């Protein structure tokens, strides 16, 4: 436990010290929300647009932090030999990974608070109807996309390419799932693609809890799809995750 | 003395290629043992099996009484590792990196003491990304020492060092040795092995082709080189009987009233012996 907190403290320290990571992972979704919130007025599907967009960017933030951010961190550390070096110490691998995952959760939770603060102050957006449920959604999002992030980190081979690859996954997913605005006008085949993506269902759960004050468990089908994607990513990671860099 | 490392008939293949074809040696407690060989000979494979990074295909291995294949935490508490290629988070300072790793061990050494030991006091609060290559290597060594290991693996620890940095690294290894730390060292540098290692194993194509103290390895070679100038032209005589050859040379020179200009009698160096053993191939960088 002490060793876990020790590692978590260093994870946090190095994350906030890295300006690239802090800007890309933490600030980018806030920036997009500020932009989209200024562009879209009125209502989307009967709800205030600033609320729907806040939920959308919250979902994008989950994917960006836990999937893209985690994969970038882990692939970089693997290929530079940081993971290999840690493996020769008494620190249990599970403790190390738990600290990395908790650090991701901390970043996403802070980002969610910042997003709500920005929405409330700048756009008069609604605050969560069900705060406890909303905290649960934060954990759900971090967990699901961290599972996918671990899976992606296991499959992506090069540290140079990892940023590009994860953005090719995350940005179109956010677009097709409705993070950046409603998808009702999209062509049918794009909507069909959106209908299988985890972010679509994560946003469904988010809308329910954030806007309608539903319980986290109100939409079991959507919850199941989100969890299934996370478990699928984890399953890939369990089979393919490596602590060693590729042979040079 | 007990053996810190015991390796018997170690075998390892990658995709059907035999990297290790039955390697055996032992390292006594407190000994500095050098593993020499060209790239691809099997040095790093051997070391990485002993560090717990790779599974062996066959043979026995024991490190501090543990099977490195299962790499128990108890073993990892007692070993220190300097890898050939490894980085630490460039955003941490020297002191933070030491503190981070010290936190992994049950009984770490004092962080500032270790930083002083590897000569990085002046860089204590500098971020790792600002360090020179040699300083980063000393940091790797500090990180490896912070858990107060009984056994230290050094995989080419001075590659890329300038001569004076290499000298001070050697001093450090000697002082660790005098404190009783067992060291398994791989190196490209023959002089480094000669300077530091109590015993040396030369590994080539996955086999140990020679093993002994540097003096023994040199002693096994029977050739002595005698060089001198005759009428301004260099002459080289290689002989296994230097006494009689030299006697004849000097007798004839005295009789003719000549000076043997540039006379030099040289025993083979470890490098000569090594090149003979590994087939004289130049190392590919």
């Amino acid at each position: 436990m002490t060793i876990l907190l020790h590692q978590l403290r260093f994870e946090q320290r190095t994350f906030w010290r890295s300006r690239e990571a802090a800007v890309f992972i933490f600030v980018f979704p806030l920036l997009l929300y500020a932009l989209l919130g200024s562009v879209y007025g009125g209502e989307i599907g009967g709800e205030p647009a600033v609320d729907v967009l806040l939920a959308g960017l919250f979902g994008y933030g989950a994917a960006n932090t836990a999937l893209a951010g985690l994969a970038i961190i882990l692939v970089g550390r693997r290929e530079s030999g940081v993971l290999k070096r840690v493996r020769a110490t008494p620190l249990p691998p599970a403790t190390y990974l738990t600290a990395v995952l908790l650090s991701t959760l901390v970043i996403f939770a802070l980002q969610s608070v910042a997003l709500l603060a920005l929405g409330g102050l700048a756009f008069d957006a609604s605050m969560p109807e069900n705060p406890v449920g909303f905290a649960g959604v934060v954990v759900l999002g971090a967990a699901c996309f961290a599972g996918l992030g671990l899976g992606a980190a296991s499959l992506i081979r090069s540290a140079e390419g990892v940023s590009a690859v994860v953005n090719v996954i995350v940005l179109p997913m956010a677009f097709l799932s409705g993070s950046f605005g409603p998808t009702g006008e999209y062509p049918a085949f794009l909507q069909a693609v959106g209908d299988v993506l985890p972010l679509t269902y994560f946003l469904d759960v988010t809308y329910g809890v954030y806007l309608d004050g539903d319980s986290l468990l109100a939409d079991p089908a959507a919850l199941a799809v989100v969890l299934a994607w996370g478990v699928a990513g984890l399953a890939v990671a369990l089979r393919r995750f490596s602590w060693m860099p590729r042979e040079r | 003395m007990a053996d810190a490392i015991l390796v018997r008939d170690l075998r390892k293949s990658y995709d059907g290629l035999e990297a290790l074809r039955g390697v055996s040696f032992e390292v006594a407690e407190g000994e500095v043992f050098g593993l020499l060989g060209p790239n691809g000979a099997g040095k790093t494979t051997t070391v990485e099996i002993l560090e717990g990074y790779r599974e062996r295909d066959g043979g026995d291995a024991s490190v501090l009484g543990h099977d490195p294949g299962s790499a128990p935490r108890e073993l990892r508490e007692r070993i220190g590792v300097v890898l050939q290629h490894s980085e630490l988070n460039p955003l941490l300072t020297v002191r933070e990196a030491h503190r981070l790793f010290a936190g992994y061990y049950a009984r770490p050494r004092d962080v500032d003491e270790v930083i002083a030991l590897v000569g990085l006091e002046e860089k204590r609060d500098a971020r790792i990304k600002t360090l020179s290559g040699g300083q980063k290597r000393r940091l790797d060594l500090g990180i490896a020492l912070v858990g107060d290991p009984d056994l230290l693996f050094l995989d080419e620890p001075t590659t890329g060092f300038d001569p004076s940095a290499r000298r001070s690294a050697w001093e450090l290894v000697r002082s660790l040795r005098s404190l009783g730390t067992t060291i398994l060292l791989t190196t490209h540098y023959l002089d480094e092995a000669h300077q530091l290692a109590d015993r040396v194993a030369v590994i080539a194509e996955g086999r140990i082709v020679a093993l002994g103290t540097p003096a023994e390895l040199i002693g096994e070679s029977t050739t002595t080189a005698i060089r001198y100038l005759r009428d301004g032209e260099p002459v080289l005589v290689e002989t296994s009987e230097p006494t009689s050859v030299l006697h004849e040379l000097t007798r004839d020179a005295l009789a003719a009233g000549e000076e043997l200009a540039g006379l030099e009698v040289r025993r083979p160096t470890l490098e000569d012996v090594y090149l003979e053993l590994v087939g004289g191939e130049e190392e590919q960088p």
Side-chain angles (χ1 to χ4, degrees):
Chain A
M1 193 61 194
T2 322
I3 204 168
L4 177 66
L5 289 176
H6 174 77
Q7 185 66 34
L8 178 59
R9 198 156 43 230
F10 273 89
E11 291 295 333
Q12 280 292 301
R13 185 178 297 182
T14 48
F15 177 82
W16 296 107
R17 221 173 252 184
S18 158
R19 270 187 222 109
E20 299 86 350
V23 168
F24 170 65
I25 304 291
F26 190 82
V27 180
F28 198 46
L30 298 169
L31 192 69
L32 282 178
Y33 178 57
L35 285 171
L36 291 168
S38 313
V39 173
Y40 281 89
E43 293 191 339
I44 297 173
E47 301 280 357
V50 288
D51 289 2
V52 175
L53 285 169
L54 194 152
L57 270 302
F58 166 79
Y60 169 68
N64 194 48
T65 307
L67 199 170
L70 185 64
I72 289 168
I73 287 174
L74 287 178
V75 172
R77 288 184 189 179
R78 183 184 68 215
E79 295 305 321
S80 65
V82 170
L83 294 187
K84 182 179 179 183
R85 185 65 191 77
V86 167
R87 203 75 159 94
T89 73
L91 178 69
T95 307
Y96 183 81
L97 280 180
T98 306
V100 174
L101 293 174
L102 280 177
S103 178
T104 301
L105 175 64
V106 168
I107 296 158
F108 179 51
L110 291 172
Q111 183 178 64
S112 306
V113 170
L115 201 58
L116 286 171
L118 177 67
L121 295 172
F123 302 113
D124 201 21
S126 309
M127 292 297 108
E129 292 284 333
N130 172 3
V132 177
F134 192 77
V137 178
V138 170
V139 175
L140 173 72
C144 161
F145 291 107
L148 289 166
L150 287 172
S154 311
L155 297 178
I156 296 169
R157 297 168 59 106
S158 110
E160 293 77 29
V162 62
S163 290
V165 173
V166 291
N167 274 309
V168 164
I169 298 170
V170 168
L171 278 170
M173 173 169 76
F175 184 74
L176 293 173
S177 299
S179 271
F180 306 142
T183 59
E185 305 286 308
Y186 289 3
F189 78 98
L190 286 184
Q191 291 195 36
V193 174
D195 281 347
V196 300
L197 295 174
L199 186 52
T200 305
Y201 297 89
F202 179 65
L203 288 178
D204 284 347
V205 175
T206 304
Y207 294 141
V209 174
Y210 167 53
L211 296 174
D212 304 334
D214 287 348
S215 122
L216 180 62
L217 309 172
D219 187 349
L223 196 61
V225 175
V226 172
L227 289 173
W229 272 99
V231 169
L234 199 60
V236 170
L238 286 174
R239 289 177 61 92
R240 300 285 297 273
F241 188 75
S242 166
W243 293 74
M244 303 279 272
R246 271 177 311 147
E247 299 302 320
R248 309 176 201 225
Chain B
M1 234 188 292
D3 286 325
I5 297 177
L6 187 67
V7 173
R8 282 286 167 267
D9 197 29
L10 201 61
R11 289 171 187 279
K12 176 76 184 175
S13 301
Y14 300 110
D15 302 326
L17 283 173
E18 285 185 289
L20 298 180
R21 308 166 187 232
V23 166
S24 303
F25 62 89
E26 61 282 323
V27 180
E29 255 178 42
E31 186 177 31
V32 177
F33 189 86
L35 208 50
L36 278 174
N39 284 341
K43 296 191 301 281
T44 297
T45 298
T46 303
V47 172
E48 291 198 342
I49 288 172
L50 298 176
E51 289 165 341
Y53 284 121
R54 294 182 191 279
E55 299 275 333
R56 59 185 186 270
D57 294 341
D60 293 317
S62 161
V63 178
L64 300 174
H66 295 277
D67 182 341
S70 57
R73 186 170 177 175
E74 201 185 339
L75 173 59
R76 285 181 280 132
E77 284 279 358
R78 294 178 60 201
I79 64 170
V81 168
V82 173
L83 300 169
Q84 243 181 72
H85 309 280
S86 76
E87 284 172 33
L88 296 159
N89 193 316
L91 298 169
L92 291 175
T93 68
V94 167
R95 188 161 197 278
E96 285 170 335
H98 281 86
R99 278 188 45 222
L100 174 65
F101 276 76
Y104 299 160
Y105 294 86
R107 289 169 301 280
R109 294 182 65 150
D110 180 74
V111 164
D112 291 315
E113 195 184 294
V114 172
I115 293 170
L117 190 65
V118 297
L120 285 174
E121 294 119 309
E122 285 172 21
K123 292 285 173 184
R124 211 173 66 156
D125 296 314
R127 297 235 175 132
I128 292 171
K129 65 179 175 186
T130 67
L131 299 183
S132 72
Q135 288 166 340
K136 279 184 183 156
R137 219 65 190 120
R138 279 189 269 160
L139 173 69
D140 285 339
L141 190 54
I143 299 295
L145 292 174
V146 84
D148 198 13
D150 298 323
L151 169 63
L152 190 59
F153 292 97
L154 300 177
D155 202 356
E156 300 188 5
T158 64
T159 298
F161 277 25
D162 62 41
S164 77
R166 176 165 302 134
R167 297 269 161 196
S168 53
W170 289 356
E171 282 310 311
L172 180 56
V173 171
R174 289 196 189 100
S175 66
L176 290 171
R177 182 183 181 280
S178 68
L179 294 172
T181 310
T182 309
I183 297 172
L184 178 60
L185 167 87
T186 77
T187 182
H188 280 297
Y189 302 113
L190 282 303
D191 56 340
E192 184 161 291
H194 201 166
Q195 289 283 332
L196 296 180
D198 298 313
R199 286 190 309 139
V200 169
V202 179
I203 187 165
E205 291 173 355
R207 284 196 188 87
I208 292 200
V209 293
L211 199 161
T213 66
E216 281 168 358
L217 292 192
I218 293 166
E220 277 171 21
S221 174
T222 50
T223 318
T224 297
I226 299 171
R227 288 186 172 81
Y228 60 98
L229 297 173
R230 180 189 290 153
D231 306 326
E233 294 295 310
V235 179
L236 167 65
V237 183
E238 286 184 325
T239 175
S240 53
E241 293 169 339
T243 314
S244 60
V245 171
L246 205 55
H247 180 73
E248 278 169 32
L249 265 177
T250 50
R251 186 193 60 202
D252 296 349
L254 279 174
E258 290 170 0
E259 185 58 45
L260 280 172
L263 178 65
E264 186 186 353
V265 181
R266 203 169 68 95
R267 291 283 299 141
T269 63
L270 189 55
E271 185 156 359
D272 299 328
V273 175
Y274 170 82
L275 289 175
E276 218 169 277
L277 284 167
V278 301
E281 283 168 43
E282 288 293 311
E283 286 204 17
Q284 301 299 314

